Amino acid sequence: MENLKNQKMITLRGKRSLREISAEIGIPYSTYAMIETGRRFPRKDLAIKLARFYKVSVDELFFTLNDRAS
């Protein structure tokens, strides 16, 4: 099975915990955890909120070059 983890989110989170980040963003821990582990893809508004939080584009946060090439 393909590794669906969002490596970009994991890298940007650094040493901060999932709970800490989810609290800062204002979303449930379980929602953030599912997005980061690839078990869920965020709605458009949440994807934008996460990208703004990490100061990157939605494309950069959620799509790889391979995803855009297909």
Side-chain angles (χ1 to χ4, degrees):
M1 182 176 199
E2 184 180 341
N3 181 1
L4 298 176
K5 288 185 179 178
N6 188 321
Q7 291 300 127
K8 186 72 173 183
M9 285 179 67
I10 293 168
T11 301
L12 290 170
R13 180 167 52 87
K15 295 182 187 240
R16 296 177 288 178
S17 72
L18 292 170
R19 291 194 189 279
E20 183 180 349
I21 295 297
S22 62
E24 285 182 46
I25 296 170
I27 61 173
Y29 160 80
S30 60
T31 299
Y32 186 88
M34 285 190 289
I35 293 168
E36 189 175 280
T37 59
R39 292 178 33 218
R40 176 180 174 180
F41 194 82
R43 295 180 324 270
K44 183 178 177 180
D45 61 325
L46 182 52
I48 292 168
K49 189 174 189 176
L50 289 164
R52 285 183 180 158
F53 178 81
Y54 284 121
K55 296 178 176 65
V56 297
S57 71
V58 171
D59 282 347
E60 188 177 351
L61 190 57
F62 293 105
F63 302 101
T64 64
L65 291 176
N66 291 339
D67 290 341
R68 288 189 287 222
S70 342

